[in-house]
């Protein structure tokens, strides 16, 4: 089976897939921020949440429903910053996935990835990593929303966690973006083989 990638390109394809998968898994998981409410653990992502309070009519009190899910609507996301973060990070993950799948196809299809295509792919990865990094930077701006303050002891604010802590999914998303921007972008420049010039 012919490949359009150099040896460096093979490493680039593997790293592209790993960085895209890491960022996408981190983005989808609702474990960007950890806290507790009514004695139960609570976690937030950009568009998902685990454990939420509901009013129990029979006992006339607030109880925690311990399950994870998306917010009912886009407007239901607690802050405008988190809504922007969701869009920006989602776009970045989409770009990284697109390049990763193209790179993997380049392992099997001859003349799919030339040096020029590799450099363009690297540029797209840099943009994707930059978008995800921007999303990660925007996320702390939403820590002053009412939902987060309820969970973090009413002492959280922008860039102030209060009693909460950052979860593994936040680090996972950021690490995937950093790998895409720093490693993959550089390797992409050496990934494609020089194209053959045919006489016809």
């Amino acid at each position: 089976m012919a490949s359009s990638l150099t040896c460096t390109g093979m490493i680039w394809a593997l790293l592209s897939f790993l960085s895209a998968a890491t960022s996408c898994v981190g983005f989808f998981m609702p474990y960007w921020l950890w806290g507790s409410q009514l004695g139960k653990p609570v976690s937030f992502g950009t568009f998902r949440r685990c454990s939420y309070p509901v009013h129990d009519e029979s006992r006339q009190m607030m109880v925690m429903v311990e399950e994870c899910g998306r917010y009912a609507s886009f407007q239901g996301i607690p802050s405008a910053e988190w809504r922007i973060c969701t869009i920006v990070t989602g776009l970045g993950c989409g770009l990284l996935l697109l390049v990763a799948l193209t790179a993997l196809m380049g392992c099997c299809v001859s003349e799919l990835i030339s040096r020029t295509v590799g450099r363009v792919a690297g540029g797209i990865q840099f943009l994707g990593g930059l978008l995800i990094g921007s999303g990660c930077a925007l996320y702390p701006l939403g820590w002053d929303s009412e939902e987060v303050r309820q969970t973090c002891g009413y002492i959280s604010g922008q860039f102030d966690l209060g009693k909460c802590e950052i979860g593994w999914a936040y680090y996972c998303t950021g690490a995937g973006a950093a790998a895409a921007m720093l490693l993959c972008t550089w390797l992409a420049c050496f990934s494609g083989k020089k194209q053959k010039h045919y006489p016809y």
Side-chain angles (χ1 to χ4, degrees), residues 47-92:
F47 64 97
R48 298 181 74 212
R49 173 183 176 149
C50 288
S51 299
Y52 52 91
V54 291
H55 190 265
D56 188 339
E57 293 295 333
S58 60
R59 290 189 283 175
Q60 291 297 307
M61 60 185 286
M62 295 298 282
V63 294
M64 292 299 286
V65 176
E66 294 183 75
E67 56 184 47
C68 299
R70 286 181 292 118
Y71 288 99
S73 68
F74 187 70
Q75 291 303 318
I77 295 172
S79 68
E81 292 86 2
W82 283 14
R83 290 192 281 274
I84 295 166
C85 178
T86 300
I87 293 168
V88 168
T89 309
L91 270 173

Side-chain angles (χ1 to χ4, degrees), residues 125-198:
Q125 282 180 310
F126 187 82
L127 177 61
L130 197 63
L131 286 169
I132 295 169
S134 302
C136 289
L138 279 169
Y139 188 71
L141 292 172
W143 293 349
D144 63 347
S145 68
E146 183 60 25
E147 279 191 40
V148 175
R149 286 175 59 78
Q150 285 171 359
T151 303
C152 301
Y154 287 99
I155 53 172
S156 67
Q158 292 185 343
F159 294 97
D160 182 3
L161 280 168
K163 292 182 179 176
C164 290
E165 56 188 55
I166 291 175
W168 64 266
Y170 182 83
Y171 293 116
C172 198
T173 309
M181 282 178 72
L182 304 174
L183 275 175
C184 296
T185 301
W186 177 66
L187 289 172
C189 297
F190 314 102
S191 62
K193 290 179 180 173
K194 203 168 185 178
Q195 280 188 312
K196 295 173 185 173
H197 294 286
Y198 297 103

